[in-house]
Amino acid sequence: MDEIYFLVRYTPFWAVPLLLIGGEFTYLFWLRRKKKLLSVCLGIAVFAALALAYYYWAGGPERSVKYLMKFIRYYWS
């Protein structure tokens, strides 16, 4: 579980590059009309955007982990 907390705490360091790369390849595959690859890259970009939105909504590294811990404790305990 520590790995998940680590990834949530440092979300901008992996989500921003994924968002940029996913967006770029989405546009590239849209131009080439490759629908399956387009949807994969779009899914990656949307996931990264949602992770960043959660990170900033929660209030940064410490509070995002705290909210995740509360969520896990409430629904999985």
Side-chain angles (χ1 to χ4, degrees):
M1 208 57 182
D2 289 336
E3 293 85 7
I4 302 296
Y5 296 148
F6 178 81
L7 286 174
V8 170
R9 181 169 297 184
Y10 297 108
T11 297
F13 294 108
W14 60 264
V16 171
L18 274 181
L19 181 63
L20 293 174
I21 292 168
E24 183 176 349
F25 278 102
T26 298
Y27 178 68
L28 191 85
F29 292 133
W30 176 70
L31 287 176
R32 293 182 181 183
R33 307 214 192 282
K34 308 270 187 187
K35 297 219 183 228
K36 288 185 181 181
L37 293 173
L38 177 133
S39 57
V40 168
C41 291
L42 184 63
I44 290 171
V46 167
F47 173 72
L50 289 174
L52 276 173
Y54 167 74
Y55 180 83
Y56 288 116
W57 171 81
E62 298 299 324
R63 292 179 67 192
S64 63
V65 172
K66 183 178 77 170
Y67 285 137
L68 181 67
M69 289 173 78
K70 283 183 181 179
F71 177 79
I72 290 172
R73 200 172 304 133
Y74 181 75
Y75 285 108
W76 286 350
S77 295

